[in-house]
Amino acid sequence: MEPYIHGSRNGIHIIDLRLTIKGILRARHFIREVVASGLDVLFVGTKPQIQAETRKVHEATKMHYVDDRWIGGTLTNFEVIGSRLAYLEDLEKKESEGYLDTITSKEAARFGREKRKVWRNLHGIRDMFRLPGVLVVIDPKTERNAVREARRMGIPVIGIVDTDGDPDTCDIVIPANDDAIRSVSLVFDKLVKAVTDGKQLRDERGVEVQGREEAIAEISSAPVPRPRSGGRRRPKAIPGGLTRSVEIAPMEEGGTATQEAEPVAQEAEAAPEAESGAPAEAPAESTPETEAPPTEE
């Protein structure tokens, strides 16, 4: 963060506000174009003092947000997150239909704990049925898992980075104090204005936004990769094939390899006939060979 620091006083680094304004302008322009193209923005701020400001952004823009904790796989394992969102809707539907009146108080308490846990983790992204177009992160050092998943999925990252952060993890850097509520609120006000302008520009261009049913249909029609089995499968035995059991006998003196190969060839020819149902002919008895004289020890 050295290029973004104006100087230090009493051991405290002072951020260059000219670069802060430059980062805000770049972020505003980029967010406006992303929203105008029909995509959404995901705001991530899980610090205790920043959670309220993150919720205010959602109330003003109706965009997705994460304020409690980042669930691993929110972007990289989006199919499983969608199933958890469906599970949350199922719990709420049961509660509205009077399911709690049909179970015991102990089961009702367990049901309530489960519903609160799932709601706390997923309530900010319950309407996110596709990947966002940009990720806005407060303190990429704290939200390193979210930044790592976004970079893996090719999603641009806008970060509010303090002097103890790493700007290389973000595509657009806004150098500012990420612990102060007033500092984060000031930056968020500018980004909210960019989202509002992007929605207005989207309506002027006539860009259609993909709905919930269309997004779900697109996800369900996409091929789902299946994990490979850990163990190595044994090849299926084929009659007369290479995987059949073979007995190896020591070759006698004076014998040749062709004498050992004749019974094998006869077994291979008889195997297809046995499978088709036709009676297989018995192999011709080979003439016994003369036993070799015992060797003297």
Side-chain angles (χ1 to χ4, degrees):
M1 288 292 294
E2 183 179 359
Y4 302 94
I5 297 176
H6 176 70
S8 61
R9 181 180 299 174
N10 299 328
I12 299 175
H13 293 92
I14 301 174
I15 297 176
D16 192 348
L17 295 182
R18 293 175 301 178
L19 299 179
T20 301
I21 296 175
K22 181 179 178 181
I24 292 176
L25 293 177
R26 293 181 59 195
R28 286 183 56 182
H29 177 74
F30 185 78
I31 290 177
R32 184 176 66 249
E33 294 299 326
V34 167
V35 176
S37 64
L39 299 177
D40 298 328
V41 183
L42 177 59
F43 292 88
V44 181
T46 60
K47 289 185 176 181
Q49 69 273 22
I50 307 299
Q51 293 178 356
E53 299 299 328
T54 309
R55 287 190 292 266
K56 289 180 181 179
V57 172
H58 169 70
E59 296 173 358
T61 61
K62 303 302 179 183
M63 288 296 173
H64 318 298
Y65 70 103
V66 176
D67 64 340
D68 185 73
R69 75 181 186 92
W70 181 264
I71 304 298
T74 300
L75 300 178
T76 56
N77 199 6
F78 191 67
E79 181 186 0
V80 176
I81 298 299
S83 64
R84 296 297 295 175
L85 293 174
Y87 177 63
L88 175 60
E89 294 181 356
D90 183 59
L91 293 178
E92 293 178 345
K93 182 179 179 181
K94 286 183 178 180
E95 186 178 10
S96 62
E97 293 177 352
Y99 174 73
L100 299 178
D101 299 335
T102 61
I103 58 179
T104 61
S105 59
K106 184 177 181 180
E107 293 175 347
R110 186 184 302 111
F111 180 89
R113 289 193 300 268
E114 178 68 14
K115 177 178 173 296
R116 287 191 299 271
K117 176 183 176 182
V118 179
W119 183 88
R120 185 177 65 251
N121 294 332
L122 302 176
H123 69 281
I125 59 174
R126 62 181 310 168
D127 296 330
M128 189 175 69
F129 303 103
R130 56 180 177 176
L131 293 177
V134 61
L135 184 73
V136 179
V137 179
I138 305 172
D139 190 5
K141 185 177 64 174
T142 302
E143 315 297 341
R144 55 183 175 274
N145 292 332
V147 174
R148 188 182 299 114
E149 291 189 18
R151 295 179 66 87
R152 184 175 180 181
M153 300 302 296
I155 300 175
V157 179
I158 299 176
I160 302 177
V161 191
D162 207 339
T163 55
D164 60 346
D166 184 8
D168 295 336
T169 59
C170 302
D171 298 287
I172 298 178
V173 180
I174 302 177
N177 189 348
D178 54 16
D179 294 319
I181 300 176
R182 295 179 61 183
S183 172
V184 175
S185 177
L186 178 62
V187 176
F188 271 174
D189 290 341
K190 305 301 180 182
L191 301 185
V192 166
K193 184 64 168 55
V195 174
T196 305
D197 295 342
K199 287 184 177 181
Q200 184 178 359
L201 189 59
R202 177 197 299 175
D203 297 336
E204 294 176 358
R205 295 178 179 176
V207 178
E208 297 183 358
V209 181
Q210 190 178 26
R212 173 180 178 180
E213 297 180 356
E214 298 175 355
I216 294 177
E218 183 179 351
I219 294 174
S220 60
S221 61
V224 180
R226 301 295 181 185
R228 298 181 178 179
S229 57
R232 182 178 298 178
R233 296 183 179 180
R234 299 183 61 184
K236 185 179 179 181
I238 301 175
L242 297 177
T243 57
R244 65 180 181 84
S245 58
V246 180
E247 296 182 359
I248 301 176
M251 184 178 295
E252 299 180 357
E253 296 182 358
T256 59
T258 55
Q259 296 177 358
E260 295 292 335
E262 289 178 358
V264 175
Q266 294 174 0
E267 291 177 6
E269 293 176 359
E273 296 179 359
E275 292 180 356
S276 61
E281 297 182 359
E285 297 181 357
S286 58
T287 57
E289 299 179 356
T290 57
E291 298 181 355
T295 58
E296 296 180 358
E297 295 181 357

